[in-house]
Amino acid sequence: MSARPDLLGSEALAQAARGDVSRSLWRQAGRRFRRNRAAMGSIVILALIALTSIFVPMFWPHGIEDASWESIMTPPGLADWHWFGTDANGRDLLVRTFYGGRISLTIGLLTTVVALVIGVTYGAVAGFVGGRTDGFMMRFVDVLYSLPLIFFIIILVTVFGRNIFLVFVAIGAVEWLTMSRIVRGQTLTVKAKEYVESAVAIGLSQGAILRRYIIPNVLGPVIVYVTLLIPTNIIVESYLSFLGLGVQEPLTSWGLLISQGAGQLDSAPWLIFFPATFLAVTMFCFNFIGDGLRDALDPRDR
Amino acid sequence: MLNYTLRRLGIAIPTLFVIVTAAFFLMRAAPGGPFDAEADLEPEVLENIRAAYDLDKPLLTQYWLFLSRAVRGNFGPSLVYKDFTVTELIAIGLPVSITLGLLAKLVALLLGGLGGIIAALRQNSLLDHTLMGLAMTGIALPAFVSAPILALFFGLYLKLLPVAGWNDGALPNLVLPVVALALPQIAVIARLMRGGMLEVLRSNFVRTARSRGLKESTVVFRHVLPSALVPLVGYLGPALAGIMTGSLIVELIFNLPGVGRYFVQGALNRDYPLVMGVVIIYATFIILFNLLSDLAYAALDPRVRKSYR
């Protein structure tokens, strides 16, 4: 599972450029985005975090489950390759942090993909079909909005066991609501445009109009929301893991590492420091990228 | 407006019903039962206990019994906290959660609002960048990271404040949980406030107000602020409803007897009545606050009011 969000951005941009969106709009947005140093820097840092998370556990001399009784609670240092120190079982924190990164980033991306697919389809259909169908579909979203979502995720996870697959289905399945609202609003705006009218006039089917005109044109706000949804979902996963309901040992994630570190904050502060730093830096990066994309795509700010 | 309110309330009741039904059957689909821990009971005794709580009846009968009692505000006895009814437990937990949530929200509104306004008025200055950098930190550091660090630093090292515990809501016990809860919200509110302010500051009516020679303070407080508050209202509704879920993690870390802690314990112990009680209370909160925020929206923005007819 590659976790390189720059792909997401450029792919969406390329896709939009191939479609019927004005080339220059996306090109201009791209230029504006590349000028944003915080956002570009964030992409580099995120790519680094993703790459190290993928590759470091493969080469590191310690495995994630290698407990060693000689080196329990070693503070960070260069000795014996325990650069980030070790935990109460003598397991190497560096390899566990990077391995946790794999899981956290994967969950963040997969849950967002689930939310993206459901939300975009649902919102586009509701906005495009309109009328009574729209009313009914959006009322349904309103109902789901009033669900205590985190409570429901907790119930779901306690009910169906603590399995990592379920964690991301549960998160993704409840995080698509805002996405569908954004897409519906955009769709309503786009639908009123002349090019859609002309597409109707030349007799394109509804599905084709949806695919070729509506979806590419609502992409802007969706991309921005996606970059903000990924970190939100990483946090939700960490939150669940912190409660002991998410990822289970021997697997690990940043949230789980933080929760274990929080218990030994006094005696071994490095146990919370490293995973928390990685989590925070990742949050920073996604937020900077989201802000950069919003600035780049918002025509009002030109 | 009245019409709209009534219609929304009309949707609220079926919504609540759906939520409650979903939660009921989900909980029952879970493997395991509330009395698994007491494995050494004689089968007859266990049967008697289950009968006492109506757990031996068919599921649909249980559902009906639950509904007819819940309508009258009776959520039944807790299965795990013996000698307590769910209503009593919620009566203990709710004030704790609400105190925490409201105080945090108040702190966040004051600090975040002020920060956002100042940042917007000095856009792109060093002050603006510093404030927004701080806000970003608040967003990047979730409560389950900041809370233990706060507890360690102020509680254990400086010994200024208690590390954990409720102590009947004494002020020193409140400070750390409220701060931990408020930090991310301060950040979000500051960013929303700044964004709203910047957008309004650029609009025509503000330019008109300035060209009429009004004092800057009049322009900001009378003309800009009311319009800039609109996005904040949209955020506050659901956020107010989130008071209880928001404090869940903070309640666990600081060991406070709030509703969130009861909920997690309840779900893990299969304490069906307790979970259902919390879900009902919480869903009611969300529905109510969403409605209030929509109404406030309408009060602030005439364009929205029109669409509500």
Side-chain angles (χ1 to χ4, degrees):
Chain A
M1 180 68 226
S2 112
R4 296 210 303 271
D6 53 331
L7 271 186
L8 186 74
S10 57
E11 210 170 75
L13 290 176
Q15 191 188 347
R18 280 197 304 275
D20 293 277
V21 183
S22 143
R23 236 161 232 275
S24 61
L25 173 96
W26 290 97
R27 227 186 246 158
Q28 277 178 20
R31 201 179 310 133
R32 268 200 298 273
F33 185 76
R34 275 191 296 277
R35 267 206 307 263
N36 186 333
R37 254 181 277 149
M40 292 305 286
S42 298
I43 287 186
V44 173
I45 295 174
L46 262 185
L48 267 178
I49 292 181
L51 287 175
T52 45
S53 295
I54 295 168
F55 291 112
V56 168
M58 295 182 189
F59 302 117
W60 202 248
H62 306 286
I64 62 158
E65 291 177 64
D66 294 352
S68 136
W69 304 115
E70 289 90 52
S71 51
I72 283 173
M73 301 278 244
T74 325
L78 292 180
D80 203 20
W81 293 92
H82 291 310
W83 291 3
F84 290 1
T86 58
D87 67 7
N89 293 323
R91 292 177 299 188
D92 181 58
L93 184 63
L94 187 141
V95 74
R96 290 180 68 76
T97 304
F98 283 122
Y99 196 87
R102 276 192 196 179
I103 307 256
S104 285
L105 289 172
T106 307
I107 289 183
L109 285 177
L110 286 185
T111 50
T112 305
V113 169
V114 174
L116 184 73
V117 171
I118 305 178
V120 170
T121 320
Y122 195 91
V125 169
F128 186 61
V129 177
R132 190 167 287 186
T133 319
D134 175 35
F136 180 76
M137 287 175 84
M138 285 341 263
R139 279 303 83 69
F140 183 65
V141 169
D142 290 345
V143 170
L144 289 184
Y145 246 111
S146 347
L147 291 180
L149 292 183
I150 191 75
F151 285 9
F152 259 78
I153 296 179
I154 291 173
I155 294 184
L156 272 178
V157 176
T158 41
V159 168
F160 296 107
R162 296 156 192 190
N163 123 14
I164 179 169
F165 180 75
L166 186 89
V167 172
F168 83 69
V169 170
I171 300 174
V174 297
E175 293 280 4
W176 59 273
L177 299 171
T178 312
M179 182 75 83
S180 75
R181 279 193 173 172
I182 294 173
V183 172
R184 171 184 172 265
Q186 280 294 112
T187 307
L188 285 177
T189 320
V190 173
K191 202 170 74 169
K193 293 268 159 64
E194 293 83 355
Y195 53 79
V196 173
E197 218 169 287
S198 70
V200 175
I202 60 172
L204 276 187
S205 73
Q206 293 212 336
I209 297 177
L210 208 55
R211 261 197 321 278
R212 258 193 245 165
Y213 295 95
I214 308 284
I215 292 182
N217 279 303
V218 300
L219 224 51
V222 170
I223 295 173
V224 174
Y225 186 65
V226 161
T227 48
L228 299 175
L229 192 59
I230 296 174
T232 310
N233 287 348
I234 293 179
I235 293 270
V236 174
E237 183 279 319
S238 309
Y239 191 102
L240 283 177
S241 293
F242 190 89
L243 293 177
L245 296 170
V247 173
Q248 300 291 311
E249 290 276 4
L251 286 184
T252 195
S253 74
W254 286 337
L256 190 59
L257 287 172
I258 290 171
S259 114
Q260 291 164 347
Q264 290 151 316
L265 197 55
D266 197 23
S267 50
W270 61 88
L271 286 180
I272 196 172
F273 176 79
F274 289 103
T277 309
F278 272 82
L279 180 73
V281 170
T282 307
M283 296 298 114
F284 264 113
C285 291
F286 274 114
N287 279 299
F288 277 127
I289 295 172
D291 282 0
L293 282 172
R294 182 166 32 213
D295 291 344
L297 289 168
D298 189 349
R300 279 175 307 180
D301 258 12
R302 248 172 247 164
Chain B
M1 260 333 259
L2 184 68
N3 214 337
Y4 173 77
T5 315
L6 287 177
R7 209 169 59 224
R8 282 288 298 266
L9 284 175
I11 301 175
I13 290 161
T15 306
L16 202 57
F17 177 76
V18 171
I19 294 170
V20 167
T21 308
F24 184 90
F25 287 105
L26 262 177
M27 256 334 265
R28 296 311 167 97
F35 307 114
D36 286 356
E38 299 159 55
D40 48 350
L41 286 180
E42 303 279 328
E44 294 85 8
V45 179
L46 191 62
E47 222 20 73
N48 279 337
I49 294 177
R50 289 174 60 82
Y53 290 112
D54 293 326
L55 290 175
D56 56 338
K57 300 203 170 62
L59 199 55
L60 280 178
T61 319
Q62 287 185 42
Y63 176 60
W64 174 247
L65 275 172
F66 161 74
L67 272 190
S68 52
R69 283 177 195 154
V71 168
R72 279 171 269 154
N74 174 8
F75 299 131
S78 161
L79 303 184
V80 174
Y81 297 90
K82 306 253 160 62
D83 303 330
F84 283 98
T85 67
V86 170
T87 319
E88 281 167 350
L89 285 177
I90 290 177
I92 299 172
L94 206 55
V96 174
S97 295
I98 290 186
T99 312
L100 274 182
L102 274 184
L103 279 177
K105 203 66 69 182
L106 217 65
V107 171
L109 265 179
L110 277 176
L111 293 183
L114 210 63
I117 293 172
I118 293 171
L121 291 177
R122 298 269 175 280
Q123 196 194 356
N124 292 330
S125 67
L126 185 65
L127 189 63
D128 177 23
H129 291 308
T130 317
L131 283 173
M132 285 303 113
L134 282 178
M136 202 65 117
T137 318
I139 289 175
L141 275 185
F144 56 82
V145 175
S146 60
I149 294 175
L150 283 172
L152 179 75
F153 192 70
F154 291 99
L156 279 178
Y157 287 167
L158 298 182
K159 298 202 191 309
L160 284 176
L161 295 160
V163 179
W166 179 239
N167 194 14
D168 287 329
L171 192 63
N173 290 67
L174 278 174
V175 176
L176 290 181
V178 167
V179 170
L181 207 50
L183 279 178
Q185 299 175 27
I186 295 176
V188 174
I189 291 175
R191 282 161 61 95
L192 273 176
M193 195 70 225
R194 177 177 179 271
M197 287 283 293
L198 284 181
E199 203 168 321
V200 179
L201 277 170
R202 259 188 246 134
S203 64
N204 293 333
F205 72 88
V206 172
R207 200 183 315 137
T208 314
R210 287 226 171 92
S211 68
R212 275 162 58 206
L214 295 179
K215 264 191 308 188
E216 186 61 22
S217 60
T218 319
V219 174
V220 170
F221 288 107
R222 291 276 299 281
H223 296 261
V224 179
L225 211 51
S227 312
L229 282 175
V230 173
L232 204 57
V233 172
Y235 161 79
L236 271 186
L240 274 177
I243 281 176
M244 293 203 295
T245 30
S247 59
L248 197 152
I249 215 108
V250 171
E251 283 168 20
L252 285 169
I253 293 174
F254 290 104
N255 199 17
L256 309 173
V259 175
R261 207 181 57 170
Y262 284 131
F263 178 81
V264 176
Q265 304 287 329
L268 288 174
N269 296 329
R270 303 282 182 273
D271 192 343
Y272 306 125
L274 183 54
V275 170
M276 294 309 299
V278 176
V279 167
I280 291 176
I281 296 284
Y282 186 72
T284 315
F285 259 73
I286 300 194
I287 293 173
L288 212 69
F289 279 109
N290 275 341
L291 177 63
L292 285 180
S293 104
D294 283 357
L295 291 179
Y297 238 152
L300 281 173
D301 191 337
R303 282 170 306 182
V304 178
R305 210 173 315 156
K306 229 183 208 165
S307 67
Y308 280 173
R309 295 262 163 74

